[in-house]
Amino acid sequence: MGAKEKHILKKILVVDDEEAIRFVFDLSLSEAGYDVFYAEEGEEALKILRGEDINVIFLDLNLPDMSGVELCRRIRKMKPDASIIAITGYASNFEIVECYAAGFDDYLEKPISLDLLLTSVLKAFKQVKEVAYS
Amino acid sequence: MGNIFKINYLRNILIASLALGVVLPISVILFIYPSFNRLLIKDKQDDAVSIARHLAHSVVADQTELSRESLTNEIWHDIKGPIDDFGLKKLKIFSKLGEIIFSTDPEDIGKINKKSYFNDVVAKGKIYTKVVKKNTESLENQIVSADVVETYVPVIKDNSFIGAFEIYYDITERNKGFDKLISSSSFVLIFLAATLQAMIIIVLIKTGNNILNRKQAEKSLSESEERYRTAIENSNDGVSILKGDRHSYVNQKFVDIFGYESAREIIGEPLSKNIHPDDLQRVTDFALRRQAGESVPSRYELKGIRADGEIVYIEVSVAMTTYKGEAVSLAYLRDITERKQAEEKLQAVNLELDITNQQLENTIERANQMAIEAEYAYIELNQIFNSTADGMCVIDKNFNILRINNTLSNILDIKNEAINKKCYEVLECGICQGTKCQLTKALQKDKCVEIEIEKKINDSTMMPCILSAKEFRNPEGDIVGIVVNVKDITDRKKAEEEKLSREKFQGVLETAGAVCHELNQPLQVISLSSGLLLMDLAEDNPLYANIKRINRQVDRMGDITGKLITITRYETKDYLKGKIVDIDKASMEVE
């Protein structure tokens, strides 16, 4: 595995407006060996993505400046091959459908266990890798 | 033939011709023939005189009177010669006393003529002649054997009668010839006369007929002219004869129409005198072109001007004719001013009538339309009345049901038996005939009254409904009854309950959502944090079990919030003295 490849498979962006959530996500993913970037709101997330080659992104659907769905659409335009996972404390079936329509690859309901989180990350990076080498 | 007698001069001609036809032969017989005869006799008389004078020379000589003795043989011989030469039938010589002293018939000698004519005429020196027909007596009463002219010629010497000659000329043959000639001539003459007479009669007849026909024609013409003249003069229409563009004749009516005193004021005047400038050019053009033989309208109307300047409307009928040998226009004029005015009035009246008729038609049409619309409206209203979802009935002021629609009939399960029944017997609102009776209030108030009631429709079912009542007025505005509307609000009630239930459910969902969202956030932190702690602790660590317990309860709380998110219906369970949402049932999928 090359440095770039290792690099690609390590970076994760977590976007959530609640600091405690960002902290535990950061802690959980860092302990697992990932490089975690985090943003409090959508514009900040986009700015990070413009500067960093990050292809796994966890988005909270309820952000202060824009909805997670809108952010997903914009990220999808920037990074068509990225793996974007929605995380939310509450969403109806309609919103779930909207998420997939907006371009989310997966959807996780809080509270997400550590095992589930790490499993989702692995799955996301596997998807990214498959796309990179396709 | 009779026509001849009708015409005086023809009759006279006929009479004259007949007279001539009669007179001519008669004249021939009575005058010409006798004249010829007299002429002949005169001729013979003259001959006799000549002979007598000739003989006198010999016989008289120197004698102073004639006697037998004076007639010598020599004289006898001298006499015989002329007798033969002249072809005398007989010759006698008389003495002045009337004695026959010589005669070619010796038997006569010595006889004496004592006739008066001898003494009164001959002896007076006058010649006396007589024509004696054959076998008739002569002047001397002797039967003659031939037609003779017996002439006595006195011998006068020294103004004294000395004797006379009597000469007999035989004119038998001459008479025969003369008679034959006369007969022939007469026959021819008579034939010619008759022929001429016949021709004259024929001509007269024809002439008479022609004359009579002509007279008849003239009379007819005259009568016709007279009639026409009378007709024209007394015509109710004006008549004018135009030569060129000027009047050469107008009748009295024309004068009257245009208000003049007499025809003299118009005759010779141009058309412009009587015709309004508006029509002058047209009418003048018509007249001139008509007289030139062109085809122009023969009937038209024009505007005329009376003597006083007033306008008069004229209807003109014009024809070409000849008058005194010249082509002229013969115009008949009728004053149609009154008619025009009447027409205008009539037109105005007709227009008004048309307008009125149109208005009437429109009104009738509207009325018909309204009737149709009313009928349609009735049908429509009846259909609406009977098809409306609400029960309706009409009640009179005495609370008798007058009409009831199908909906109410179905609700109450009655139909025609409700008609004329009291409303409180049929509707049974539960508030009937009391102070709460809405129908009574409707009669009293000028507004709709409404109340929600429950109507018992069978032994077990109560139907919630709204009963509204409004006074019903006739076209004059008087209250004649009440219109009652019974609205079944069962479905509405049910809908309201359902809505309330949905609202409750919505509240539950929203609350659940809020709870989920808010709880999940800290639960997430706890979950990952406890998870991280478990990763760092060995299982035999005394803290491991407690943290594990924490982790499991977080998962359990996550399940609970997960169920809250998936609530699909409103389900409750008893809790103490009230009810709480049964999360399990509410989130369970309906089988």
Side-chain angles (χ1 to χ4, degrees), chain A residues 16 18 20-21 24-25 27-28 31 62 89-91 109-114 117, chain B residues 509 513 516-517 520-521 523-525 527-529 531-532 535 554-555 558 561 565:
Chain A
D16 198 306
E18 196 160 324
I21 299 292
V24 292
F25 267 79
L27 190 62
S28 300
E31 285 289 321
N62 192 28
Y90 171 76
E109 290 179 2
K110 294 174 183 173
I112 304 165
S113 66
L114 181 62
L117 176 64
Chain B
L509 285 180
C516 284
H517 181 264
N520 281 341
Q521 298 287 85
L523 282 175
Q524 179 67 68
V525 175
S527 176
L528 287 179
S529 297
L532 284 168
M535 279 177 66
V554 166
D555 288 340
T561 57
I565 291 170

